[in-house]
Amino acid sequence: MIQRSLVLLKPDALDRGIVGEIITRFERVGASIVGLKLLVSEKDTAEKHYTEDLAQRRGEAVRNMMIEMLLSGPVVAMTVEGVEIVEVVRKMVGATEPKAAAPGTIRGDYSHVSFAHADEKGIGVFNLIHASSSPEEAEVEINVWFRPEELFNRDSSYTKFTVKK
Ligand code: ADP
């Protein structure tokens, strides 16, 4: 039942200065942060993240725009852990199109733009955050962004950092 999910705070989230607020939401529901870093993505990493699958679902143009967007500034990559957390995180993130994302979700509360607006401007839609859509996808994506030694294993190493009574 314990799962891990990959969360990416995209360049627009850093640009807006809301990284702390978004991370707080995950802490508030009790998800454990087991990996966290700020980086400028390599092209190769961005291409592995936005796979051919995205091109098939949304079109090659959207894939290319998303890769370009990911490379446009720093991103924060996180791995969160918790009970059936993949579904919980997706619920918190909200619908892909900010215009349609429900209030109370991250996208619904912090963004509002539409696909039509993005298409008119010839840019990818700014929706702040990415989260894995299934446990299988999470496993692949965590490997794209993190080396095993960058992830904290709560079972084995907690005691090292805990003050013993
Ligand atoms: P999600 O990130 O919600 O799982 P997708 O995997 O379908 O959504 O799309 C990946 C990213 O591509 C989205 O986060 C969004 O920023 C962008 N995107 C998707 N569809 C479009 C579109 N029609 N126009 C512009 N950008 C899009």
Side-chain angles (χ1 to χ4, degrees), residues 1-5 30-32 80-89 134-136 138 154-155:
M1 290 266 153
I2 302 288
Q3 299 171 349
R4 287 180 167 184
S5 186
S32 300
V80 295
E81 189 177 275
V83 175
E84 299 193 59
I85 203 70
V86 172
E87 195 183 323
V88 174
V89 168
S134 68
E136 297 73 29
R154 290 193 300 139
D155 296 336

Side-chain angles (χ1 to χ4, degrees), residues 89-111:
V89 168
R90 287 290 283 200
K91 178 189 69 175
M92 293 171 68
V93 165
T96 302
E97 185 181 25
K99 187 183 92 168
T105 64
I106 294 166
R107 286 168 175 163
D109 283 352
Y110 291 98
S111 60

Side-chain angles (χ1 to χ4, degrees), residues 6-9 14 33 35-39 75-79 145-146:
L6 188 274
V7 172
L8 274 188
L9 308 185
L14 279 85
I33 298 170
L36 179 66
K37 61 182 171 183
L38 180 137
L39 74 156
V75 300
V76 167
M78 289 171 72
T79 299
W145 292 96
F146 288 93

